[in-house]
Amino acid sequence: MALKNSSTGERTQDDLLLQKIPNGTVAYRMVRNDPPTEDDFKSHYELDVLPNPTKHYKAYAFFGVSFFLDPAKADRLVATAHKRGDDAWNAGVTLKSGFGLYGTYNAKTTHLEVFGFPDDLLELADS
């Protein structure tokens, strides 16, 4: 089973394709701790970061955790953080369907928004 592109198809911009993430999907996330901690896999909601009020149609992302399927995209985020003087690393995660993970996917940016529990995501992180 492959991920379907949430940004195309017969849906409009405001529609959302929430789908079960295929077992074995490898995704990458910028984290602030080495090794990663549970805090590195919290949503903006769990971190009390408010959603962008001008993008109400993307409010669902407030509850998800951002990943990229392309490691180069996550590496660029890490490089940008380093330029700002922040500590950051790229954590690889092999997602497993048994964890009840669902998400949305944009093929153009390889962005995957994952809806899951921080402790489950941390358990899946490569050490």
Side-chain angles (χ1 to χ4, degrees):
M1 178 170 96
L3 284 166
K4 297 175 185 170
N5 187 353
S6 297
S7 65
T8 61
E10 296 181 16
R11 294 169 301 283
T12 67
Q13 173 179 319
D14 293 337
D15 289 339
L16 179 66
L17 175 62
L18 186 64
Q19 58 194 308
K20 191 175 202 178
I21 296 172
N23 191 40
T25 299
V26 177
Y28 304 89
R29 176 169 174 75
M30 182 182 76
V31 297
R32 301 292 181 172
N33 300 288
D34 185 22
T37 67
E38 202 171 297
D39 284 343
D40 289 310
F41 296 99
K42 288 185 176 179
S43 67
H44 281 165
Y45 171 78
E46 292 162 314
L47 296 171
D48 292 324
V49 176
L50 295 176
N52 185 334
T54 65
K55 295 187 178 181
H56 61 279
Y57 59 93
K58 289 189 174 185
Y60 67 89
F62 178 61
F63 299 99
V65 180
S66 292
F67 287 88
F68 289 96
L69 298 186
D70 178 357
K73 302 268 185 175
D75 287 341
R76 283 197 277 279
L77 287 178
V78 169
T80 300
H82 287 173
K83 286 179 185 175
R84 288 192 313 257
D86 295 335
D87 288 333
W89 292 268
N90 191 356
V93 176
T94 303
L95 301 170
K96 296 180 184 175
S97 58
F99 280 71
L101 299 175
Y102 287 81
T104 63
Y105 173 61
N106 183 322
K108 181 177 180 183
T109 62
T110 79
H111 184 262
L112 180 64
E113 195 73 43
V114 176
F115 301 92
F117 294 105
D119 57 336
D120 288 343
L121 295 170
L122 175 62
E123 184 177 328
L124 298 172
D126 299 336
S127 50

